[in-house]
Amino acid sequence: MAGVALVCGVGAAIVLTDLDGYLPLDLRPPPGAFTGWRIRLAAKEPEVCYATLVRSDIPAEQSPRRLVRDGCGYDDAVALSGESRAASPPMRCGLALAYAAWERHVVAPAALRRLGSPVVSIRTLGAFACRDIAGSAGRRSQHATANAVDVAGFTLKDGRTVSVAGDWKGDDTKGLFLREVRDGACGLFSAVLSPDSNAAHRDHLHLDLGPARVCR
Ligand SMILES: [Zn+2]
């Protein structure tokens, strides 16, 4: 954001070079250093989160709540609507903020630059699933509260598709694109797991807004 001078008294001025932390969170401009942190703050307050979706021109609809039982469920989920290229299954509002910002500021420009065609849709493997972390019986996954989404691939306007399963390891533009959108997710989400992480993620990117911070 451009610097803004606040005049304080005669001849004195304080120049704020980044008002990111002072204005209501708006995800229309490119993310700044604090955007991921501010998304996690907004995620704690559903009303703040819903207002941020509206302010940021992110089309979404509130989803019916699911009763929390055995550590599963949610009461503040939204689905990004079909008007959005990031149209999504129901996911917690804060996750939806990060997901929409990722599509807008990371995925869209990377597709144009690397692949020469816009992304028209993102293929997910879903968000909510009442289950434990793979290999960790008794520890609920972030999916259990719709606080995680798995991304399997992308469809481009020119008809091509990019899949994590098939294109991750390539040295071509599709592989470069996938690794760029993984790297770009790390500042917006809390945990980002890719095929570089382990075999359980060989065919998708796991993106969540849980307490753990990891990017690999
Ligand atoms: Zn996942």
Side-chain angles (χ1 to χ4, degrees), residues 131 143 150 206:
R131 63 172 174 80
H143 286 288
D150 291 334
H206 167 97

Side-chain angles (χ1 to χ4, degrees), residues 15-41:
V15 177
L16 299 178
T17 54
D18 185 0
L19 285 173
D20 195 33
Y22 298 86
L23 300 173
L25 178 58
D26 183 345
L27 295 170
R28 286 173 297 181
F34 299 107
T35 304
W37 173 71
R38 298 194 68 199
I39 287 173
R40 286 189 285 280
L41 273 186

Side-chain angles (χ1 to χ4, degrees), residues 126 131 141 143 148-150 201 204-207:
R131 63 172 174 80
S141 163
H143 286 288
V149 61
D150 291 334
H201 297 89
H204 67 274
L205 303 177
H206 167 97
L207 311 170

